[in-house]
Amino acid sequence: MRNLFKSIFNKKNNDIPINSSQNINNQKDLLYQYIESLENTILKGDLDSILMMNGDLEYKIGAFSAIKFSSEYIKFIHIKGLIGDLVQLTDEEYESRSGDVFFQTYRDNLSDLVAVFFNLGEFTPGDTCDPTLYLSYGKSTGPQSKMYISYYSKGYLEIVDLLSGVERRGHGGLMLNSLLKIVEKLNEKIEVYNLQLYASEFNTGLTYGDFIASSNSMRKITHITGKIVPGRGLTREDLIRFYGRYGFIKDGRLYKDV
């Protein structure tokens, strides 16, 4: 991507005064092509490839200084902030920046790129665990969008709290829809945990079916629940409408079968 950028930039801007209208238009065209390339890479959802682009973005900022008030540059800064936020998040969540994670990219209601990140390695069925689902929408001085959840061995997941850093962008819905996909991964981990536990401690005189039916096993997640707590300017009715829009309300309470 760096070589592509250099070849286009040199071809379009050679011997053109930096602040000329021709050069500015050339920079806008170049940045548009570069943004398109960035977005295509991000939407493929390969986390390691996305993280590797961070250093390249730092190299690009100076090249586009003449158009820093353009819509193209603003979009570029958003993408740079998104990738920078993911770099920081992955540094905090797991050291190698590769591993057992759920990662999905989306466009929100304003067509901006956002990414949902969940460290599956943080989930251990046999231990008390309260993992966090993150939605990254770029660098921000405001609150981060996230969802706190808890797993219970009886076979359900609780949404402890859901925080959306920006409103009316569909971020809460993207987190809820992602949670349903994450549950599939969590159930796979629960099954592996049960198989290992049965093989190590309960395989003498007890069938696997009987073990799964006993209180010694961890139940797979069959439903999601949680409390509807008004706050942050939202009433109970607001929250019921929000969760209901995504099928998470049953008989007036936060509940969804999975």
Side-chain angles (χ1 to χ4, degrees):
M1 187 178 293
R2 182 185 289 265
N3 291 335
L4 173 64
F5 172 85
K6 284 184 175 179
S7 64
I8 297 174
F9 189 86
N10 291 336
K11 179 177 69 175
K12 287 198 170 192
N13 294 285
N14 190 35
D15 298 328
I16 299 173
I18 291 177
N19 292 321
S20 72
S21 60
Q22 182 181 355
N23 183 67
I24 289 173
N25 288 334
N26 285 348
Q27 286 199 29
K28 287 182 178 180
D29 290 342
L30 175 60
L31 185 53
Y32 177 84
Q33 293 177 48
Y34 184 55
I35 288 171
E36 193 172 58
S37 177
L38 287 173
E39 289 186 330
N40 287 337
T41 300
I42 292 170
L43 288 170
K44 287 178 183 177
D46 183 338
L47 180 58
D48 286 334
S49 295
I50 294 169
L51 296 175
M52 287 175 62
M53 295 191 297
N54 189 54
D56 199 48
L57 295 177
E58 293 293 340
Y59 167 77
K60 302 296 188 293
I61 286 191
F64 297 116
S65 59
I67 56 170
K68 62 183 178 181
F69 298 111
S70 68
S71 59
E72 292 87 355
Y73 189 82
I74 292 171
K75 191 170 188 178
F76 169 68
I77 291 300
H78 167 77
I79 293 174
K80 182 180 180 299
L82 172 64
I83 295 174
D85 190 49
L86 289 171
V87 169
Q88 181 178 341
L89 181 59
T90 52
D91 279 344
E92 292 172 355
E93 286 296 309
Y94 62 115
E95 294 181 0
S96 67
R97 291 193 187 174
S98 61
D100 196 10
V101 302
F102 173 91
F103 180 75
Q104 184 82 49
T105 54
Y106 304 93
R107 288 192 184 275
D108 67 12
N109 290 349
L110 295 184
S111 294
D112 284 333
L113 288 172
V114 297
V116 170
F117 176 92
F118 182 85
N119 185 358
L120 292 164
E122 197 179 16
F123 177 77
T124 306
D127 298 330
T128 300
C129 57
D130 300 300
T132 305
L133 180 157
Y134 297 92
L135 183 142
S136 177
Y137 56 92
K139 287 290 184 181
S140 172
T141 56
Q144 189 173 33
S145 294
K146 63 183 71 173
M147 181 192 299
Y148 299 104
I149 60 176
S150 288
Y151 164 73
Y152 292 87
S153 60
K154 293 182 179 180
Y156 69 93
L157 203 67
E158 180 185 19
I159 297 176
V160 179
D161 201 0
L162 190 158
L163 307 172
S164 185
V166 290
E167 304 295 335
R168 312 298 180 186
R169 300 282 292 269
H171 293 182
L174 292 175
M175 286 189 280
L176 290 175
N177 288 334
S178 295
L179 182 61
L180 298 177
K181 299 175 184 178
I182 290 168
V183 164
E184 296 177 14
K185 302 291 185 182
L186 299 185
N187 278 339
E188 291 174 6
K189 290 178 72 71
I190 291 170
E191 183 173 6
V192 169
Y193 176 86
N194 281 330
L195 285 168
Q196 293 173 341
L197 184 62
Y198 174 72
S200 63
E201 297 185 31
F202 296 97
N203 61 343
T204 304
L206 188 67
T207 67
Y208 183 68
D210 288 339
F211 164 71
I212 289 298
S214 74
S215 60
N216 295 306
S217 70
M218 300 290 115
R219 300 289 194 273
K220 287 187 176 181
I221 299 163
T222 60
H223 62 279
I224 299 169
T225 186
K227 296 181 176 64
I228 298 177
V229 182
R232 298 186 291 270
L234 297 172
T235 66
R236 177 178 174 82
E237 289 71 26
D238 292 332
L239 293 171
I240 288 176
R241 280 195 297 271
F242 163 71
Y243 284 111
R245 191 178 306 136
Y246 300 97
F248 277 74
I249 292 294
K250 184 176 181 180
D251 298 327
R253 62 193 181 104
L254 201 166
Y255 185 98
K256 185 172 180 63
D257 291 311
V258 296

